[in-house]
Amino acid sequence: MKAVRFHEYGAPDVLRYEDVAQPVPAAGQVLVRVAATSFNSVDGNIRGGFMQGPIPVELPHTPGLDVAGTVDALGEGLDGLAVGDQVVGFLPMDKPGAAAEYALAPVEILAAAPKSVPLADAAALPLVGLTAYQALFDHGKLTAGQRVLINGAGGAVGGYAVQLAKNAGAYVIATASPRSGDAVKAAGADEIVDHTTTAVTDAVTEPVDLALNLAAVDPAGLAALVTLVRPGGVLVNTTVWMPAPSDEERGVRGIDLFVRSDADQLAKLVALVDRGELRVDVAERVALDGLPALHARAAEGAVHGKVVVVPATA
């Protein structure tokens, strides 16, 4: 089969589109014929060798943490799935990914794919959707009527976070650039702060219950968000290389989020998609052999929105 792999860490040009042996599912594994994977910023960090501590991978490594596709074969002793089922999942970060025509997935990470969007587009959901869900509900404990600030709402996680927070009955304040402002408004934000012209600390005049940071701000910018959170509230930070600050005097907790795979939560997200309550936005569809060029564009800051990566055989 065809796959994209890197044999050493480095710049995007270490990625190779090459022939590799098709994997065989072991007990507890499912072989998925890949309809698509997607690009996530962490893919570039893993490829660059910056995540070897928390995410040790074996070289050569196939990137692609999201998978959407069709069950092609089942490992020994599996039930509950059948060949031909359409599935989505967030693959283990330290194992071979789905930038290939076929990928192995542990059965416990898979959920039925949404029926209301093209199967390839469903690859845009797992990692970023779970990040938004876990930030808001697992860590932020968001409930109806609360005020939430989503800093950096213009990215893929932010789009889901705005929608999920609105679905939960929250009042949503979102920061975004003019380029992404319309998309954030369409996602349901009640207030939009143009961070290119206005400091968020000037724009948010009433405390929020939860601040969610999705932006690559500096430590001072992250600390400033804490001041906007009411006593007893929470700051959830997804930029895990920079620890979330707290304010012990006011009881504001800072929580660093490292997303985990959760098939039950993913199934909830899929159900929201199929009920029309959660929109899956895909900015681009790129062929698998174009993944190295996609990584190069991302390294230059030239990728905006969620990109799905589609094998030629899909």
Side-chain angles (χ1 to χ4, degrees):
M1 68 172 187
K2 292 291 188 182
V4 172
R5 302 194 297 178
F6 56 88
H7 294 248
E8 60 276 334
Y9 296 112
D13 60 8
V14 300
L15 292 166
R16 305 181 194 173
Y17 181 65
E18 58 191 8
D19 290 305
V20 302
Q22 183 174 308
V24 176
Q29 292 183 321
V30 176
L31 180 67
V32 178
R33 180 178 179 179
V34 177
T37 186
S38 83
F39 176 79
N40 294 287
S41 58
V42 70
D43 292 324
N45 291 327
I46 294 171
R47 183 215 69 238
F50 307 119
M51 303 293 285
Q52 293 181 57
I55 310 174
V57 300
E58 183 178 325
L59 300 179
H61 177 71
T62 303
L65 296 169
D66 293 307
V67 65
T70 305
V71 174
D72 191 78
L74 299 170
E76 183 180 350
L78 290 187
D79 53 20
L81 280 177
V83 171
D85 286 352
Q86 294 187 338
V87 293
V88 290
F90 167 30
L91 296 170
M93 298 179 103
D94 60 348
K95 302 297 182 187
E101 293 177 329
Y102 292 85
L104 292 177
V107 66
E108 65 270 12
I109 65 102
L110 295 173
K115 302 184 186 313
S116 57
V117 299
L119 182 58
D121 288 2
L125 178 64
L127 187 153
V128 289
L130 287 169
T131 300
Y133 186 95
Q134 290 168 19
L136 293 172
F137 304 114
D138 286 2
H139 300 293
K141 309 298 183 187
L142 185 67
T143 58
Q146 290 189 322
R147 290 167 53 86
V148 57
L149 168 64
I150 300 174
N151 191 48
V157 175
Y160 288 118
V162 171
Q163 294 182 76
L164 290 169
K166 284 302 295 179
N167 288 346
Y171 184 88
V172 179
I173 306 164
T175 72
S177 68
R179 175 180 48 78
S180 56
D182 287 345
V184 172
K185 183 176 181 180
D190 296 288
E191 293 181 35
I192 299 174
V193 179
D194 179 354
H195 66 77
T196 67
T197 61
T198 306
V200 65
T201 48
D202 293 333
V204 179
T205 56
E206 295 181 41
V208 298
D209 299 280
L210 166 63
L212 170 56
N213 180 57
L214 306 172
V217 297
D218 59 23
L222 191 59
L225 297 180
V226 176
T227 68
L228 303 177
V229 180
R230 66 161 178 80
V234 182
L235 166 68
V236 179
N237 176 45
T238 62
T239 55
V240 293
W241 59 87
M242 185 169 52
S246 300
D247 183 341
E248 294 182 3
E249 287 187 8
R250 298 192 305 117
V252 177
R253 292 179 299 126
I255 297 173
D256 295 305
L257 169 67
F258 200 82
V259 64
R260 59 184 174 82
S261 188
D262 188 310
D264 290 337
Q265 291 180 351
L266 185 54
K268 291 178 182 177
L269 295 173
V270 167
L272 290 172
V273 171
D274 281 341
R275 291 202 301 267
E277 298 174 15
L278 186 66
R279 190 177 68 248
V280 175
D281 289 322
V282 175
E284 285 184 72
R285 294 166 187 82
V286 171
L288 179 60
D289 62 1
L291 185 59
L294 175 60
H295 272 242
R297 283 198 291 132
E300 296 168 355
V303 173
H304 305 295
K306 196 65 179 167
V307 182
V308 297
V309 180
V310 183
T313 54

